[in-house]
Amino acid sequence: MSNVDLLSASTADQDQSMDGELPSNLNNDINTSQQSAPASTIYQMEFDVEHIGKNRPQNKRQAIWRYCIASTPGVDDSTTICEHVAQLVWSTHSGKYAIKVDGEEVYSNVAKGSVLEHKWRWDHRNACVVDEGGVQMRILACRKPPTRSSKNFRCYEFLVQGKVYRELPRFGSSASRSDDDAFQNEEREYNQGKLMTILDVIEPGWRAKGYA
């Protein structure tokens, strides 16, 4: 990362709590429904980033990833689909950040630079971090795109079970990956020397490791 110029945010904003509330349609009152879907599959549903600072909105960001997990089929061949929400709230002025899943805090800390990263395993049934089992998760973020980056550079990444969120199948779609054309375009830009995601900064060569 020494050759990448990640600029720190220089504007000041009054520190705020890390208790960013989920939008009403993304709260932790998670619904469970019966759907027909492959078992043991994780689907992407919706990703959104908001600037929520009180005085300077850009100094506090909230990233939300909605996803769902298909459980083992029952005797009637149906699958239980459970919706979940992963959330990052980050004050880029103070560096304070907090990560939550379904409204339950996973981790909070202070980012010492312009990049943050955290890995954990999450037990959805008991809503807690575990050392073994559970679902592997990882969040990476940076304050702003570095030099040599694409105009579509992704400052926020969420990995689930070793897969990049945007490469997960989209819920309700028959396609194995939601944006295959976009993925191919990204590969072309990357091969031309452009950084496409914070993963390219923190972990060069991640594509060859099968994250996508």
Side-chain angles (χ1 to χ4, degrees):
M1 288 184 54
S2 59
N3 64 337
V4 179
D5 181 22
L6 287 173
L7 300 177
S8 299
S10 59
T11 55
D13 193 10
Q14 200 171 20
D15 286 349
Q16 303 173 49
S17 75
M18 292 292 100
D19 295 331
E21 294 183 0
L22 292 173
S24 58
N25 65 328
L26 296 177
N27 61 28
N28 62 337
D29 183 17
I30 304 301
N31 295 321
T32 300
S33 61
Q34 296 293 324
Q35 302 282 348
S36 178
S40 303
T41 302
I42 301 176
Y43 296 91
Q44 63 164 300
M45 299 184 72
E46 181 183 11
F47 167 66
D48 187 46
V49 176
E50 291 185 278
H51 291 179
I52 59 174
K54 183 176 181 181
N55 297 320
R56 294 181 180 272
Q58 69 273 21
N59 281 4
K60 187 175 182 182
R61 294 102 181 263
Q62 177 177 257
I64 289 176
W65 296 265
R66 292 183 64 208
Y67 62 99
C68 61
I69 301 176
S71 67
T72 304
V75 293
D76 58 354
D77 291 330
S78 65
T79 300
T80 300
I81 303 296
C82 295
E83 296 184 25
H84 301 284
V85 181
Q87 175 193 35
L88 167 67
V89 177
W90 184 15
S91 170
T92 56
H93 169 59
S94 67
K96 295 179 180 178
Y97 68 94
I99 296 171
K100 296 181 179 181
V101 174
D102 297 342
E104 299 293 332
E105 184 167 290
V106 171
Y107 184 75
S108 61
N109 206 337
V110 178
K112 300 185 182 300
S114 58
V115 174
L116 67 82
E117 177 184 11
H118 184 64
K119 302 177 183 179
W120 74 100
R121 288 177 175 270
W122 187 254
D123 181 337
H124 288 88
R125 181 183 296 275
N126 296 305
C128 64
V129 176
V130 292
D131 294 329
E132 297 181 352
V135 176
Q136 298 176 34
M137 296 185 167
R138 181 183 183 190
I139 282 179
L140 309 93
C142 63
R143 289 176 178 167
K144 63 189 304 182
T147 57
R148 294 192 302 109
S149 63
S150 164
K151 64 180 181 179
N152 296 317
F153 183 88
R154 302 196 303 278
C155 291
Y156 305 88
E157 290 284 19
F158 177 43
L159 279 70
V160 187
Q161 292 291 72
K163 297 293 183 182
V164 178
Y165 177 83
R166 73 185 294 269
E167 304 305 335
L168 295 173
R170 184 175 295 280
F171 183 64
S173 171
S174 59
S176 60
R177 186 161 55 199
S178 63
D179 299 306
D180 193 58
D181 290 341
F183 179 78
Q184 292 178 10
N185 291 335
E186 177 174 307
E187 287 292 291
R188 283 194 288 269
E189 286 195 67
Y190 178 76
N191 291 334
Q192 293 170 0
K194 293 184 178 180
L195 298 170
M196 303 303 301
T197 164
I198 182 59
L199 271 169
D200 291 334
V201 177
I202 291 182
E203 197 163 341
W206 63 271
R207 290 172 174 81
K209 297 178 181 179
Y211 286 2

